[in-house]
Amino acid sequence: MTETATGTDWQSWQESWDRQQEWYMPDREERFRVMLDMVEAVVGPEPRVLDLACGTGSITDRLLKRFPNATSTGVDLDPALLAIARGTFDGDDRVTFVTADLKDPDWTKRLPHTSYDAVLTATALHWLHSEPLATLYGQLGGLVRDGGVFMNADHMIDTGTPRINAAERAHRHAAMDRAKAAGALDWAEWWAVAAKDPVLAAPTAERFKIYGEHADGDMPSVDWHARTLVASGFGEARAVWASPSDSLVLAVK
């Protein structure tokens, strides 16, 4: 357990975040597995990784367990989730965390490296509208080294399949209702617990000042992501995994 002098059990916070996220995405671990499979396939088992909008460091955690010689830079703006991330990885010299706003045109200047083998992100960029997301993809086109990889696992909605979308959503929400009845915490409930924690209360209050209650961004289709990434300087891009509700898009520089 990663318990510090403050008495905070960061590993328990990591696990509770995972459970909360899995309530929304039961295939979450499969997404991570495929993501790391493709990291290994494209850039090998010792990558320099940028964990983009890293949150608590969920990708970094799985990356280092699978590839002990990898290194990771986690970047995020959320003070509460970064507190959990920093507490969890305190003392691990393979990991660096950076506080930065991805909407800031100069956010890349805060990073410790000018290029990365892989930039990875999951369930985060739907907080952005399409225009700033396209701008971000352009920045990533200059940050990923030639031959390197970018991957985004997120909600990507195909508006051309409304009946499929409605059926999937109804089925998924029925399962979520059953899990909720069995005691699963949703997003709002998880944050309510964090707000009462003596260590996380202040950063939680600050994060709600920054973000508000939840995302107001877009969830464009896989095709939009692939086309925009190619227009941003990547050589090719496509989905390498999909569940009924989420997709993982991979772009190679």
Side-chain angles (χ1 to χ4, degrees), residues 73-159:
T73 302
V75 59
D76 208 306
L77 187 62
D78 189 313
L81 297 185
L82 278 174
I84 296 171
R86 289 187 168 110
T88 300
F89 295 96
D90 184 37
D92 191 332
D93 60 9
R94 298 170 297 175
V95 184
T96 303
F97 289 104
V98 174
T99 300
D101 185 349
L102 298 182
K103 294 180 181 179
D104 179 350
D106 295 323
W107 73 270
T108 59
K109 294 179 180 178
R110 294 176 174 264
L111 302 177
H113 307 291
T114 57
S115 69
Y116 288 84
D117 301 312
V119 177
L120 309 176
T121 188
T123 324
L125 299 189
H126 65 271
W127 283 75
L128 298 177
H129 287 288
S130 297
E131 185 173 343
L133 181 55
T135 298
L136 176 64
Y137 279 177
Q139 293 171 312
L140 297 179
L143 199 58
V144 175
R145 69 160 172 84
D146 287 347
V149 64
F150 167 70
M151 278 182 272
N152 180 14
D154 211 339
H155 313 304
M156 300 180 186
I157 297 174
D158 186 340
T159 58

Side-chain angles (χ1 to χ4, degrees), residues 236-250:
E236 54 190 61
R238 70 168 176 87
V240 292
W241 176 88
S243 75
S245 60
D246 297 290
S247 296
L248 171 60
V249 169
L250 180 154

Side-chain angles (χ1 to χ4, degrees), residues 35-103:
M35 179 180 282
L36 296 181
D37 281 351
M38 296 311 298
V39 167
E40 186 173 25
V42 179
V43 299
E46 299 183 11
R48 175 191 290 170
V49 169
L50 177 63
D51 186 350
L52 188 70
C54 65
T56 66
S58 298
I59 291 174
T60 293
D61 178 52
R62 289 151 180 83
L63 172 80
L64 297 180
K65 286 175 179 174
R66 179 159 169 177
F67 305 126
N69 293 323
T71 59
S72 178
T73 302
V75 59
D76 208 306
L77 187 62
D78 189 313
L81 297 185
L82 278 174
I84 296 171
R86 289 187 168 110
T88 300
F89 295 96
D90 184 37
D92 191 332
D93 60 9
R94 298 170 297 175
V95 184
T96 303
F97 289 104
V98 174
T99 300
D101 185 349
L102 298 182
K103 294 180 181 179

